[in-house]
Amino acid sequence: MRVVFLGLPGAGKGTQARLLAEALGIPQVSTGDMLRQAQADGTPLGQQAREYVESGRLVPDDLVLGLIEERLRNRDTDGGFILDGFPRTEDQAKGLDGILGRLGVALDRVVLIELDAAVLAERLGKRRSCPACGAVYHLDSKPPARAGICDECGERLVERPDDQPERIRRRIEVFKAETAPLEAYYDRRGLLARVAGDGEIGDVQSAIRAAVGRAG
Ligand code: AMP
């Protein structure tokens, strides 16, 4: 199954994509995680991306498309993948169509997780993430068992530099200007499913499973 997750920053894309990927036994491909990893590794791509990521602006399309094409050529995506945080512009969506065409595959579903902007800002302010394994927590609704420590790998949790209020505002603006048009792009092709993102994590996951035809 090949699925794209769309949604404002903080809508729960990462958390939900991870759960669905585990349930289906296919990789979660997050461009945000890949870019943060490239920064941590100090690769040339990471250095090029840093100023964009930290300020909440989009990394140029050609960089992201190169990264995605390389990732989707890896054999572990042969049985499917969940794209989380990509595509984010119409040019990226067109670029993705080209990549999938060259690989001889097609998308099955695009899931849009909908959430009110006020809820998002609150969620992002209380988000903590693991720089080592990418696990995501929320101080109130999904706290780690030991304060400040990742349940999965024991690493110290961090607050993302782009989760500060003024950068959150910029990311929401960027989404509305650049990413929101993708809703119509995929709706025209009958691929779009809208899911309400304001419930419990498990309930949202059930709605997503139903939307991708893998309920139960
Ligand atoms: P995320 O973890 O998905 O919220 O992404 C964090 C940041 O990484 C974004 O604010 C962008 O700076 C960058 N980024 C992630 N995915 C993309 C993408 N598909 N296109 C451009 N920039 C991206």
Side-chain angles (χ1 to χ4, degrees):
M1 164 144 309
R2 296 175 186 85
V3 183
V4 165
F5 272 45
L6 295 179
L8 278 156
K13 291 187 301 292
T15 301
Q16 296 296 340
R18 195 180 181 102
L19 289 172
L20 185 65
E22 279 167 10
L24 299 181
I26 55 179
Q28 169 194 10
V29 175
S30 156
T31 41
D33 284 350
M34 290 161 81
L35 291 167
R36 280 184 290 276
Q37 188 61 51
Q39 282 177 40
D41 294 344
T43 66
L45 170 75
Q47 283 161 15
Q48 279 174 287
R50 180 177 301 275
E51 55 163 309
Y52 297 99
V53 173
E54 292 197 344
S55 66
R57 285 178 298 137
L58 292 182
V59 172
D61 289 338
D62 54 339
L63 288 187
V64 180
L65 279 164
L67 193 65
I68 279 285
E69 176 142 23
E70 196 182 314
R71 181 67 188 85
L72 296 187
R73 286 191 176 281
N74 197 313
R75 302 301 304 265
D76 70 338
T77 62
D78 283 0
F81 50 77
I82 315 266
L83 291 178
D84 154 21
F86 173 90
R88 260 180 156 97
T89 65
E90 203 157 323
D91 281 345
Q92 289 183 13
K94 289 178 184 155
L96 175 62
D97 290 340
I99 294 170
L100 296 179
R102 288 192 283 284
L103 294 172
V105 296
L107 290 178
D108 297 298
R109 212 86 177 108
V110 175
V111 176
L112 171 65
I113 307 184
E114 297 186 299
L115 200 61
D116 205 74
V119 183
L120 298 166
E122 191 274 342
R123 274 198 189 177
L124 292 173
K126 293 193 173 170
R127 172 157 77 179
R128 298 293 180 274
S129 348
C130 176
C133 74
V136 180
Y137 301 87
H138 182 279
L139 293 182
D140 299 333
S141 64
K142 196 186 168 222
R146 273 206 299 153
I149 303 293
C150 180
D151 292 348
E152 317 236 343
C153 72
E155 183 75 25
R156 190 164 291 280
L157 299 177
V158 296
E159 196 172 349
R160 281 172 41 175
D162 55 347
D163 277 349
Q164 289 160 22
E166 163 233 328
R167 295 179 194 174
I168 291 173
R169 268 198 298 282
R170 172 176 289 161
R171 286 160 63 211
I172 291 175
E173 277 166 24
V174 167
F175 178 91
K176 288 185 177 156
E178 307 273 0
T179 312
L182 296 183
E183 184 178 342
Y185 184 88
Y186 288 120
D187 204 14
R188 277 198 297 275
R189 302 175 180 199
L191 286 173
L192 192 78
R194 294 181 181 82
V195 171
D198 55 357
E200 296 290 324
I201 290 174
D203 295 338
V204 176
Q205 180 66 198
S206 301
I208 290 172
R209 298 246 180 113
V212 301
R214 295 292 175 98

